Amino acid sequence: MKAAALRYRALDTLARDSVELFRESFFKAQRPVVLPRGLFRDYRAASRWFASPSSTPGLILNHAYLEQHGDCYVPLELTIPGERDGNIFERAHRPLSLFLQWARSVQSMPAAEQPGVPRLYLAQCQLLDLPSSLREDFPTPSYVMQAGKGDIYDTNIWVGMAPTYTPLHRDPNPNLFVQLAGSKHVRLLAPDIGRGVFAEVRQALDSARAGHGHNNSAIRGDEMMKGAERQLLDRAVWGVDDDKHRSDTTHDNTGYDAILHPGDALFIPTGWWHSIKGIGQGITASVNWWFR
């Protein structure tokens, strides 16, 4: 007997802009929720980091503003699309100017030529690694400061060109995720469901490799971003009509689904598994806070 494919339903949206309502109904209860749509539409970084040209669809980076800090080193993920052996994936710290040059080059190409080019993703860039003038573009939301104890473990920035991809994983702390530019599609699984899916993927890999895997769900591990593990994780979460790789299971298979547009925000509780894809055209960018 095969496991039923994952099913998804739309995630609830907070009824009104209220930290108290959020705290009592979702933060304390550890339930995911989309905050009122467009709540962060006027967020400072959204207006300073991005521009809307008339010549191309979607947003572009505000090069005149960001190039002032081109010598700042940031974490970049390089993905080179591959067919036979899967993607080539590398991660390194490089000057921000390299990312800006790449983005300008790709956005000058015809849209039909962009999918096959190597991709750079400014991923999980810690706010503290940026110059102070750029850090000021990311004020901490009241939902982060007032819902719990006000303790912030980390703030990270994510900037790339769609499509971008973050594999299925879970975070050790509550997460407020704010979309600044472009759109992202998020799928979430409750802790027990996600744990089952992840274990099944690991079991399939162990069987294929005749080795002994481990349930390491660290965020964006290199092994998750290329080869068989990426393909299996992607199929498990996003390929809802293809469950041939899944083993028997008794857990409920319902997850949650949300598409975030500029100014939207999503609360992801501790331990909830999630995978995120940047969709559409142009620049897609987000910022998140891990807090309690």
Side-chain angles (χ1 to χ4, degrees):
M1 177 180 176
K2 295 179 180 178
L6 289 168
R7 302 183 303 272
Y8 294 91
R9 69 180 184 87
L11 194 59
D12 291 338
T13 299
L14 191 66
R16 63 182 186 278
D17 180 11
S18 168
V19 174
E20 181 179 359
L21 177 62
F22 167 72
R23 180 193 305 115
E24 297 303 321
S25 299
F26 295 95
F27 183 78
K28 288 184 177 179
Q30 290 292 283
R31 295 170 53 202
V33 68
V34 175
L35 299 191
R37 293 288 183 173
L39 186 62
F40 293 87
R41 187 178 294 112
D42 298 325
Y43 192 71
R44 190 178 305 162
S47 61
R48 293 186 177 182
W49 282 51
F50 313 104
S52 181
S54 57
S55 57
T56 59
L59 295 177
I60 64 171
L61 293 168
N62 183 350
H63 289 268
Y65 179 65
L66 295 174
E67 284 171 356
Q68 302 174 65
H69 309 282
D71 58 351
C72 170
Y73 272 65
V74 294
L76 295 179
E77 294 181 350
L78 169 66
T79 302
I80 302 176
E83 296 182 0
R84 183 172 181 178
D85 298 321
N87 294 335
I88 297 173
F89 177 81
E90 296 180 2
R91 182 186 285 117
H93 278 73
R94 294 290 184 267
L96 176 61
S97 59
L98 176 64
F99 178 73
L100 297 175
Q101 292 167 10
W102 171 84
R104 189 192 298 272
S105 173
V106 173
Q107 289 196 301
S108 67
M109 296 179 179
E113 298 179 10
Q114 294 182 13
V117 303
R119 316 292 294 186
L120 284 180
Y121 191 21
L122 197 161
Q124 203 171 344
C125 175
Q126 292 182 304
L127 188 64
L128 291 177
D129 288 341
L130 296 179
S132 59
S133 57
L134 292 183
R135 293 199 300 268
E136 293 173 357
D137 295 336
F138 297 89
T140 305
S142 58
Y143 283 81
V144 171
M145 296 302 298
Q146 300 174 19
K149 298 180 179 180
D151 295 337
I152 302 173
Y153 289 97
D154 206 358
T155 305
N156 291 275
I157 300 159
W158 314 75
V159 185
M161 287 188 61
T164 60
Y165 174 70
T166 295
L168 184 69
H169 68 282
R170 57 182 175 178
D171 298 332
N173 298 295
N175 181 355
L176 183 68
F177 186 91
V178 174
Q179 189 67 12
L180 301 174
S183 300
K184 284 185 177 173
H185 190 172
V186 185
R187 284 188 164 170
L188 301 99
L189 302 174
D192 57 337
I193 299 176
R195 186 165 50 248
V197 170
F198 194 83
E200 289 173 6
V201 168
R202 284 291 183 171
Q203 185 178 29
L205 286 170
D206 289 349
S207 298
R209 297 169 180 168
H212 301 283
H214 51 84
N215 288 339
N216 177 14
S217 53
I219 186 170
R220 298 183 70 81
D222 287 6
E223 71 281 358
M224 296 179 178
M225 299 299 295
K226 58 185 178 181
E229 183 159 348
R230 174 184 171 122
Q231 294 170 8
L232 288 173
L233 284 171
D234 188 75
R235 189 186 307 160
V237 178
W238 299 93
V240 295
D241 295 325
D242 182 3
D243 65 343
K244 62 184 179 182
H245 67 288
R246 301 285 301 282
S247 62
D248 292 350
T249 183
T250 58
H251 60 62
D252 181 16
N253 289 301
T254 300
Y256 294 89
D257 194 269
I259 294 180
L260 304 179
H261 301 295
D264 292 343
L266 167 67
F267 171 63
I268 305 172
T270 301
W272 275 70
W273 298 73
H274 49 287
S275 181
I276 304 174
K277 289 188 174 184
I279 58 177
Q281 293 181 296
I283 290 292
T284 177
S286 316
V287 58
N288 81 285
W289 291 263
W290 284 306
F291 69 105
R292 67 174 183 177

